[in-house]
């Protein structure tokens, strides 16, 4: 279920108590519910509780979210986004278009040079068709059929549906020259092969000779995706760049 959100990175001085107190005061003015999420640290706090937000131990450049729900969520989101833009580094929001120099316009903020994370917009309604679009981005020229067969074989072995309308198809195959993660927000929820409804597909394609450091990063991401809370944060934000920033934070997590 998508909703209103504000995505930002913590400033160099971290979270300052008076700013968090002001944020809590603003949240208390609305009937909507807002949750503070430090994606990098994998922790949450109520935005009406200043001490709880400070206790998350948020450090400079941590990726953070304000997830907003309720009858007046849109207005609340607009007010909080304006506040965040004045005091911290606003990355994206459902309230309005962020600054033109938004770093999320780049394919990925993840520092590992050998791992590509990018978004895909699709009109596909079946996962077989989606896999055809994905392999065009991850497979060597002339080997797309091999990669597609690998995705289908993996799905036939056991479903890669995780829950919360999120699927994690993944292959290790010689048709893949470089490790890649393709994030697809489905135009309309598609029926996965196990008959579950999927709105977010995170496809991982890995070459047979993957480096250990990259494999560890992907393993960290897989562990985070096993969390229903993390999956719900992802699907709450109907914005591929924001979702990529969250995945990057998980890849970078120690």
């Amino acid at each position: 279920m998508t909703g209103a959100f504000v995505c930002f990175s913590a400033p160099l001085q971290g979270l300052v108590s008076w700013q968090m107190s002001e944020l809590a005061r603003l949240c208390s003015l609305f009937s909507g519910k807002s949750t503070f999420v430090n994606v990098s640290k994998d922790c949450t706090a109520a935005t009406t509780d200043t001490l709880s937000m400070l206790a998350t131990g948020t450090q400079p450049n941590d990726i953070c979210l304000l997830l907003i729900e309720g009858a007046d969520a849109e207005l609340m989101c607009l007010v909080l986004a304006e506040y965040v833009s004045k005091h911290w580094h606003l990355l994206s929001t459902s309230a309005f278009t962020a600054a033109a120099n938004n770093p999320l316009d780049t394919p990925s903020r993840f520092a590992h040079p050998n791992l590509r994370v990018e978004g895909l917009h699709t009109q596909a309604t079946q996962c077989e068709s989606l896999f055809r679009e994905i392999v065009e981005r991850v497979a060597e020229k002339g080997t797309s059929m091999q990669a597609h067969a690998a995705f289908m074989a993996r799905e036939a072995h056991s479903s890669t549906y995780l829950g919360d309308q999120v699927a994690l198809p993944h292959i290790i195959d010689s048709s893949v020259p470089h490790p890649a993660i393709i994030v697809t927000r489905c135009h309309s929820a598609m029926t996965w092969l196990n008959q579950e409804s999927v709105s977010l597909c995170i496809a991982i394609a890995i070459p047979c000779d993957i480096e250990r450091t990259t494999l560890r990063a992907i393993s960290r991401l897989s562990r985070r995706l096993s969390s229903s809370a993390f999956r719900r944060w992802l699907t709450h934000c109907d914005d591929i760049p924001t979702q990529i920033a969250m995945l990057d934070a998980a890849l970078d997590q120690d």
Side-chain angles (χ1 to χ4, degrees):
M1 181 78 64
T2 60
F5 69 90
V6 180
C7 180
F8 64 98
S9 60
L12 294 179
Q13 69 270 28
L15 298 181
V16 181
S17 59
W18 72 264
Q19 293 173 340
M20 303 311 290
S21 296
E22 181 64 12
L23 179 66
R25 187 191 69 79
L26 289 173
C27 291
S28 68
L29 299 176
F30 298 90
S31 60
K33 177 185 176 183
S34 177
T35 303
F36 172 82
V37 178
N38 184 319
V39 180
S40 299
K41 295 289 189 297
D42 192 19
C43 54
T44 64
T47 52
T48 52
D49 189 336
T50 302
L51 292 180
S52 293
M53 287 190 286
L54 292 172
T56 59
T58 300
Q59 297 178 348
N61 299 317
D62 279 357
I63 299 298
C64 301
L65 292 170
L66 298 176
L67 303 181
I68 306 159
E69 301 172 293
D72 54 359
E74 292 184 2
L75 179 58
M76 186 178 183
C77 182
L78 179 61
V79 171
L80 296 184
E82 289 284 4
Y83 183 80
V84 167
S85 68
K86 291 179 181 178
H87 298 287
W88 304 312
H89 187 190
L90 177 66
L91 298 178
S92 61
T93 175
S94 58
F96 53 79
T97 303
N101 62 350
N102 186 342
L104 296 189
D105 288 341
T106 59
S108 173
R109 300 176 69 249
F110 182 49
H112 199 292
N114 296 321
L115 177 57
R116 176 168 52 91
V117 185
E118 66 177 58
L120 170 65
H121 296 278
T122 184
Q123 299 292 327
T125 58
Q126 301 291 330
C127 65
E128 299 97 321
S129 301
L130 175 58
F131 288 161
R132 291 190 183 93
E133 295 183 40
I134 290 171
V135 300
E136 290 300 322
R137 297 195 176 206
V138 302
E140 289 268 31
K141 185 176 181 180
T143 64
S144 58
M145 291 183 64
Q146 176 183 332
H148 185 271
F151 272 114
M152 293 299 295
R154 175 60 187 84
E155 210 64 41
H157 180 265
S158 63
S159 176
T160 58
Y161 177 78
L162 298 178
D164 303 294
Q165 295 196 331
V166 178
L168 184 68
H170 50 279
I171 60 170
I172 301 177
D173 196 80
S174 60
S175 62
V176 180
H178 306 290
I181 299 174
I182 308 299
V183 183
T184 306
R185 184 77 194 177
C186 303
H187 179 71
S188 57
M190 67 174 61
T191 302
W192 210 243
L193 288 178
N194 67 342
Q195 301 305 307
E196 294 285 355
S197 179
V198 169
S199 61
L200 179 64
C201 173
I202 302 167
I204 300 176
I206 303 172
C208 296
D209 58 347
I210 185 173
E211 295 180 357
R212 175 166 293 195
T213 55
T214 304
L215 183 60
R216 283 200 295 264
I218 292 174
S219 296
R220 288 194 295 270
L221 174 61
S222 298
R223 288 196 298 272
R224 288 294 298 276
L225 285 167
S226 69
S227 164
S228 179
F230 185 68
R231 296 194 299 266
R232 290 196 301 269
W233 300 343
L234 283 167
T235 55
H236 185 102
C237 302
D238 189 12
D239 177 75
I240 286 179
T242 303
Q243 291 164 338
I244 289 178
M246 296 169 65
L247 297 177
D248 286 341
L251 288 162
D252 281 330
Q253 189 180 36
D254 294 329

